[in-house]
Structures are given as C-alpha cells and as structure tokens.
C-alpha cells in the first residue's frame, strides 16, 4: 500500500510544463540581458548599450505598474509621475552640488513614498473610472509643477552636469558599469515583486482584485493592501526615474506626463497583464517597435493603436502568453 502511495505521489514532484516555462523564460531573459555588453563588442557597443539600458529602465517601471494593474486591478494613468519624481530628485540635487548616488536614491524613495502615500490614500477612496481619472489628475499636477520650475529648466528640462557618483567616484560615467547597475536593479525588483506576488500579501491582493467584498467579509481590509501595493509600485517607479536621469543625463517634465503613463500601460498589455516577465518583454517590444517605426514615419505613434488592438484580439495573454507563461 505504501508503494502505491509513493508511486501516486511521485509525479507531483515533477513540475508541469507550464511551471517549467515560468521558471525558464525569466532565466533566458536575464541571461540575455547579462550578455548584451559582450554582444556589443562585435558591433556598435555604445548604441546597443543605450538601447538596452533604456529598455531595462522602461521594464522596471512597467513591472511596478503591473503590480497595480495585473494583480490589484488598479489602473493608474499617473504612474509616470513617480518616474518624474525619481528623475528630478537626481537633477535638483545635482544642480546644488549633491552628486552622491545613494543620496539621490534615498531622496527619490522618500519623496515617492510620501507622494504615493498621500495620493494613494485619496485615490483609493474611489473605484473604476474615477480612480483612473484621479490618478491622471495627480500625475498631471506633478507634470505642470515640473513645467513651472523655471530654476530647473521648466518646459525645456534640465541637463545634468554629471551622472551620480558612487563612493565619491564617477564610475557611472562608464556605460557598461551603468548598464550592469540598471540590470542589478531590474533583477532585484523582479525577485522582490515575484516574492510579493507569491506571498500571502500577493494572494490577498489577487483575491481583492477578483472580489473585494468577499475578501472584506472574511476579515481582510482591501484598502490597506491596495495602498501598500500602490506605495511599493510608486517607489520602484521612482528608482526607474533615477536610473533614467543617469542614462539620459537629462530630465524633463515629459517624464511625468500622462503619455509616458500610457506607454507603460501599452508595454504591459503588449507583454501580458499580470506577468512580471511579460512586462519586461512588452517593454522591449515597445521600445524596439518605436525605434523601428520612427525611422519610417514621424507619425509612428498612430501605428501603435492597431497593433494594440491586434494583440488584444489575437494574443490576449500578450507576448508572455505566447509562451504559455504567467508569473
């Protein structure tokens, strides 16, 4: 009898094909990212590093938004405001002679925490389209604040005198070092978010997405869980803003505009809503499509609408869904 029990239990030890794909696909993605600087040695390394660094920064912001939309059903049209906060934290401090990267990062996290806590506490009092509109309003409020900061460039933006320093050195001036710093943040954020999603907190958040009334009835407070997720997502997006400012060595109010929030939503829909590595794939596809289409027409953005419609109709799980994978 024990032998029969052991035989019946044995297959459960082997991960199903779907689970194996969920594990293997992220490994392939991050392995490819890790090898990109080596591949660039056989071509225009500076161009390749610039493109892929930008993809990783966009992917970092997209993953943070996917935590809200894919797992919490909180569609925010003002998420780029946190990217803007991170970028301006670097720019404003640098303009006053404070170039230490750890100070930049700490400031960005602190400011984004407070902004997310206040705006999230207000926004989450609403639901559905009202939540979308109020997050859009807060995002645009920050955008117009940026345009009014004449001392920091206003509409024209602000060019950084130098990238952030680490331990008093300008090591981030080296594009390869910056690349691997961005890669490290992307990998760390992915592991953090994956851990959150798989945790009790993540299960409760998904339960609230499906039926908030039932979750409240069994003793969970949806508001607190959603606000916590909102703050976490905002802080991760602010890190993306810090990295973006260092990569471009320039900041602009456009970083916080609703169009940039739309880009992030487009990326996660393209990659697959509710899939962290799908958000990375979507960010890569979005960036590459934008670069390719812009070579053919200045109205390339108009082509994204039909592409999005086709993805929604024929690949509802996005690019990640083509591999049969979820987070």
């Amino acid at each position: 009898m024990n032998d029969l029990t052991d035989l019946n239990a044995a297959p459960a030890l082997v991960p199903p094909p779907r689970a194996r794909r969920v594990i293997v696909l992220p490994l392939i993605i991050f392995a490819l990212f890790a090898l990109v600087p080596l591949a660039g040695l056989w071509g225009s390394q500076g161009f390749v590093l610039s493109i892929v660094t930008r993809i990783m920064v966009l992917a970092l912001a997209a993953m943070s938004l996917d935590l809200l939309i894919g797992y919490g059903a909180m569609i925010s049209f003002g998420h780029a405001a946190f990217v803007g906060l991170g970028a301006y934290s670097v720019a404003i401090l640098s303009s006053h002679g404070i170039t230490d990267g750890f100070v930049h990062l700490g400031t960005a996290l602190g400011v984004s925490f407070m902004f997310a806590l206040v705006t999230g506490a207000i926004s989450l009092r609403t639901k559905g389209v009202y939540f979308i509109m109020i997050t859009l309003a807060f995002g645009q409020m920050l955008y117009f604040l940026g345009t009014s900061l004449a001392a920091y460039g206003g509409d024209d933006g602000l060019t950084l005198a130098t990238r952030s320093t680490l331990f008093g050195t300008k090591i981030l001036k080296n594009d390869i070092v910056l690349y691997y710093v961005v890669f490290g943040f992307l990998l760390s954020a992915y592991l953090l978010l994956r851990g959150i999603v798989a945790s009790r907190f993540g299960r409760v958040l998904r339960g609230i997405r499906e039926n908030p009334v039932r979750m409240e009835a069994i003793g969970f407070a949806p508001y607190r869980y959603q606000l916590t997720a909102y703050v976490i997502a905002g802080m991760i997006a602010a890190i993306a803003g810090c990295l973006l400012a260092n990569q471009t060595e320039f900041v602009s109010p456009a970083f916080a505009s609703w169009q940039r929030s739309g880009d992030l939503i487009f990326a996660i829909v393209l990659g697959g809503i509710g899939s962290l590595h799908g958000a990375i794939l979507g960010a890569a596809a979005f960036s590459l499509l934008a670069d390719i289409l812009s070579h053919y027409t200045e109205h390339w953005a108009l082509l994204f609408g039909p592409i999005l419609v086709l993805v929604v109709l024929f690949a509802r799980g996005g690019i990640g869904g083509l591999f049969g994978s979820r987070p």
Side-chain angles (χ1 to χ4, degrees), residues 67 71 190-207 215 220 225 228-229 232 276 327:
L67 177 66
Y71 300 97
Y190 175 81
L191 294 174
L192 172 64
L193 290 172
R194 185 157 184 162
I196 289 173
V197 168
S199 69
R200 179 176 179 271
F201 176 88
R203 292 194 296 273
V204 172
L205 191 63
R206 292 198 298 277
M215 294 302 293
F220 294 102
Y225 282 89
T228 301
I232 292 171
L276 296 175

Side-chain angles (χ1 to χ4, degrees), residues 22-104:
V22 172
I23 296 170
V24 171
L25 184 56
L27 290 177
I28 294 173
I29 292 171
F30 284 105
L32 289 174
F33 277 140
L35 295 174
V36 162
L38 298 179
L41 295 175
W42 285 273
S44 179
Q45 188 183 51
F47 175 75
V48 172
L49 287 178
S50 176
I51 291 293
V52 183
T53 301
R54 193 174 73 227
I55 287 172
M56 290 195 295
V57 171
L58 179 63
L60 182 60
M63 281 198 307
S64 68
L65 182 57
D66 196 37
L67 177 66
L68 298 182
I69 296 179
Y71 300 97
M74 294 176 279
I75 304 174
S76 171
F77 240 101
H79 200 65
F82 297 104
V83 177
L85 284 173
Y88 269 94
S89 294
V90 174
I92 292 174
L93 289 173
S94 294
S95 69
H96 291 284
I98 303 171
T99 61
D100 187 86
F102 295 107
V103 175
H104 292 170

Side-chain angles (χ1 to χ4, degrees), residues 26 61 68 81 94 145 224 260 326:
L68 298 182
S94 294
L145 175 62
R224 287 188 294 177
R260 299 292 78 77
R326 301 292 282 181

Side-chain angles (χ1 to χ4, degrees), residues 172-306:
L172 292 183
K173 289 293 289 182
N174 185 306
D175 288 338
I176 294 179
V177 173
L178 178 64
Y179 179 91
Y180 279 114
V181 168
V182 175
F183 173 78
F185 274 110
L186 180 65
L187 178 59
S188 299
Y190 175 81
L191 294 174
L192 172 64
L193 290 172
R194 185 157 184 162
I196 289 173
V197 168
S199 69
R200 179 176 179 271
F201 176 88
R203 292 194 296 273
V204 172
L205 191 63
R206 292 198 298 277
I208 294 169
R209 176 193 64 191
E210 299 299 330
N211 195 322
V213 175
R214 181 178 296 174
M215 294 302 293
E216 190 168 13
I218 61 176
F220 294 102
Y223 181 82
R224 287 188 294 177
Y225 282 89
Q226 289 175 318
L227 181 58
T228 301
Y230 191 87
V231 171
I232 292 171
M235 293 174 73
I236 293 175
I239 294 173
C242 286
L243 298 173
L244 181 62
N246 277 282
Q247 196 256 333
T248 60
E249 298 185 61
F250 174 79
V251 299
S252 164
F255 287 4
S257 68
W258 69 268
Q259 291 95 332
R260 299 292 78 77
S261 295
D263 291 346
L264 295 177
I265 293 175
F266 193 105
I268 63 175
V269 171
L270 194 59
I273 295 177
S275 171
L276 296 175
H277 45 269
I280 298 174
L281 292 172
F286 177 86
S287 296
L288 294 176
L289 277 172
D291 283 337
I292 293 169
L293 294 176
S294 63
H295 286 299
Y296 294 98
T297 173
E298 62 180 7
H299 303 296
W300 56 269
L302 292 175
L303 301 176
F304 274 107

